[in-house]
Amino acid sequence: MTQQSFKVAAVQAAPVFLDLEATIDKAIEYIADAAAAGASLVAFPEVWFPGYPWYAWLDVPAVWMQKYAQRYFENSLEYGTPQADRLSQAARDHNIMVSAGISERSGGSLYISQWLIGADGRTLTQRRKLKPTHVERVIYGEGDGSDLVVAETELGRVGGLCCWEHFQPLSKYAMYAQHEQVHIGAWPSFSLYEGGAYALGPEVNTSASRTYAVEGQVFVIAPCATVSQVMVDEMCETEMQRALLKVGGGYARIYGPDGQQLHESLAPDVEGLVYADLDLGAIAVAKVAGDPVGHYSRPDATRLVVNRTPRIPMTDSQAPRSRGTVDSFADALDEEAALAE
């Protein structure tokens, strides 16, 4: 049974940068606090585990790769590990759904991912950002159409996107078309290039979260990290770098399906949780004005085609089906033929 009304929480805090174990410790404290406050869901910012790699925006790869590439890879989270189990166990122990923004380690690659864990500790969805933004492409790989996913949960139909995926109209529409009700919009921090890149700042990006809520008539939970002084000291060695990355930048927000902010904001340099009470019944009221995939749509004039087939880097006729493989070589050919049609 879907709960019609429940409380949710969004995290506004800095991770323990480049320390996965300590960041998980800190996350478990927030999970416990959110559950104690009566929240049924708590959402963490983009790649909060183990932190957003701001160093890639501060210098050229030839400079930062030697210092950070191995450390970042080793502190990224891999599914099925004891570190991942700790997050699942925390969700189960505190009976709360958790949306974790992670740097996902898979093989030799990293991905910007969102892991939705049910209150019983079981995985609901594991999605990857389809297209890393700008310099992120030096660090992270891409997702595929199977990552445009909305899960049927006890809290309604829950989906998520990361950061500037909220400026990808077709990706957004793919989510709306699955009748999403609760959306996790994960963001890093808005304290980079202050005064030099307006599009990266809080006004534009919080507006993207608000617009998503109004456009899709969904509740949007938008966790947002902060940059700590420790992070600035770690990554900024020159006056120029210290001018490019500032402490703070936290703008966690929760919006209703009419675009209204549902809580008081924390100051941008303050760590904590913001809470809101959600009533899924409000979605029906909002959709009276305009349902983008229903009565306010014109699929005869414009419609979206989504390829939900996972990418297939290898086929193995003996291995069981899993992400990135198919049951047989014949199945691979059949899938490719279907896509060609």
Side-chain angles (χ1 to χ4, degrees):
M1 295 290 293
T2 298
Q3 296 182 43
Q4 281 294 107
S5 300
F6 50 90
K7 190 174 187 177
V8 299
V11 174
Q12 177 175 304
V16 183
F17 190 58
L18 295 181
D19 188 333
L20 180 60
E21 292 285 0
T23 297
I24 292 173
D25 290 340
K26 188 171 182 176
I28 291 172
E29 293 179 5
Y30 279 121
I31 290 169
D33 289 346
S40 297
L41 183 155
V42 58
F44 288 86
E46 184 181 37
V47 293
W48 202 74
F49 303 87
Y52 188 86
W54 294 111
Y55 51 79
W57 297 80
L58 300 175
D59 218 325
V60 297
V63 173
W64 59 255
M65 282 182 66
Q66 291 298 319
K67 184 175 182 180
Y68 291 113
Q70 182 176 348
R71 292 170 62 193
Y72 197 78
F73 183 85
E74 292 176 348
N75 281 278
S76 293
L77 186 115
E78 183 175 350
Y79 295 127
T81 60
Q83 291 80 11
D85 290 344
R86 291 184 65 202
L87 286 176
S88 297
Q89 185 67 47
R92 180 165 55 249
D93 287 346
H94 297 285
N95 192 35
I96 186 171
M97 189 180 294
V98 175
S99 176
I102 67 172
S103 172
E104 176 199 346
R105 189 178 70 214
S106 179
S109 293
L110 300 177
Y111 301 89
I112 297 173
S113 299
Q114 288 169 290
W115 181 19
L116 187 63
I117 308 168
D120 59 359
R122 297 184 181 182
T123 293
L124 296 173
T125 58
Q126 293 171 336
R127 72 165 302 269
R128 294 170 176 171
K129 188 174 185 178
L130 267 70
K131 190 75 172 181
T133 304
H134 199 34
V135 299
E136 291 173 357
R137 288 170 225 162
V138 181
I139 298 173
Y140 303 105
E142 299 180 345
D144 56 45
S146 67
D147 294 301
L148 294 171
V149 60
V150 173
E152 189 74 54
T153 79
E154 63 183 13
L155 303 182
R157 298 185 60 77
V158 181
L161 295 174
C162 285
C163 196
W164 267 35
E165 287 188 302
H166 295 89
F167 293 108
Q168 290 278 10
L170 302 184
S171 295
K172 292 195 296 179
Y173 196 80
M175 304 298 287
Y176 301 155
Q178 296 174 69
H179 305 292
E180 188 181 30
Q181 295 172 297
V182 179
H183 177 78
I184 313 297
W187 297 88
S189 170
F190 308 134
S191 60
L192 180 76
Y193 300 174
E194 285 185 359
Y198 187 78
L200 301 180
E203 292 84 3
V204 169
N205 293 287
T206 56
S207 295
S209 295
R210 189 191 297 267
T211 297
Y212 192 101
V214 176
E215 198 171 66
Q217 296 89 47
V218 301
F219 287 97
V220 171
I221 306 166
C224 181
T226 62
V227 173
S228 66
Q229 184 63 56
V230 171
M231 293 170 67
V232 170
D233 293 342
E234 165 69 36
M235 290 181 279
C236 299
E237 298 178 347
T238 67
E239 288 302 317
M240 174 63 76
Q241 289 173 329
R242 281 187 282 274
L244 294 177
L245 182 67
K246 301 293 183 63
V247 169
Y251 289 84
R253 298 288 186 269
I254 304 173
Y255 296 106
D258 60 355
Q260 183 178 181
Q261 184 173 322
L262 302 178
H263 60 91
E264 293 294 325
S265 301
L266 297 175
D269 59 346
V270 170
E271 294 194 339
L273 295 163
V274 296
Y275 294 96
D277 294 313
L278 276 52
D279 178 1
L280 297 185
I283 293 174
V285 177
K287 286 191 179 292
V288 169
D291 181 353
V293 298
H295 67 81
Y296 203 49
S297 66
R298 284 293 305 274
D300 58 317
T302 58
R303 60 179 172 172
L304 176 66
V305 177
V306 179
N307 176 10
R308 300 289 295 278
T309 306
R311 289 181 175 178
I312 305 169
M314 181 184 77
T315 59
D316 188 334
S317 61
Q318 302 300 316
R321 188 182 181 103
S322 62
R323 184 186 180 104
T325 65
V326 293
D327 290 333
S328 70
F329 184 67
D331 289 341
L333 294 178
D334 289 343
E335 289 187 14
E336 290 176 1
L339 288 176
E341 294 176 0

